Amino acid sequence: MPGKQSSIFILANYLLPNGDCEGCPNVFIEAASFGIPCIGGIEGGSDSAITDNYNGYLIDPTNINLLSSKILNLLSNPKLCFQMGQIGI
C-alpha cells in the first residue's frame, strides 16, 4: 500500500493474450486517499479510479516512452502532482 512518503503511484496493468487483466485494483483508491496521483494501464478497470489528466494518467502499458514521460511530468511539476493528488482526498 502506498504511504505518505510516495509522490506518485504506478501500476501499469496489462491485458494478457488470454484476456486476463486485473480489474480496477483497490490500490489506486488507496493511493488517492493519501493524496497521491496515479498512473495506470488503460486496460482492465483502471478508469474506474483514474480519470486521465484529472487525478492521474491512463497509459498504454506497452508504451515505455509514454510511461516515462508521464512519470517525469509529475515529478518535475510538484504543483500539478499536488493538485492531481488532492482530487482523491
Side-chain angles (χ1 to χ4, degrees):
M1 181 170 90
K4 291 188 178 187
Q5 292 93 356
S6 300
S7 298
I8 59 176
F9 179 78
I10 304 161
L11 177 63
N13 42 330
Y14 177 74
L15 183 67
L16 298 174
N18 69 359
D20 284 348
C21 185
E22 185 168 358
C24 181
N26 287 336
V27 72
F28 289 137
I29 297 164
E30 293 169 357
S33 74
F34 281 98
I36 300 169
C38 298
I39 300 174
I42 56 174
E43 297 158 333
S46 300
D47 61 348
S48 295
I50 301 170
T51 301
D52 193 39
N53 293 309
Y54 182 65
N55 63 334
Y57 297 116
L58 293 169
I59 55 103
D60 174 351
T62 64
N63 186 337
I64 302 303
N65 291 328
L66 179 60
L67 174 59
S68 62
S69 77
K70 296 301 184 182
I71 293 169
L72 290 172
N73 185 48
L74 286 173
L75 293 178
S76 64
N77 293 295
K79 184 177 180 180
L80 174 64
C81 194
F82 178 79
Q83 289 171 335
M84 283 184 161
Q86 290 301 295
I87 292 167
I89 294 179

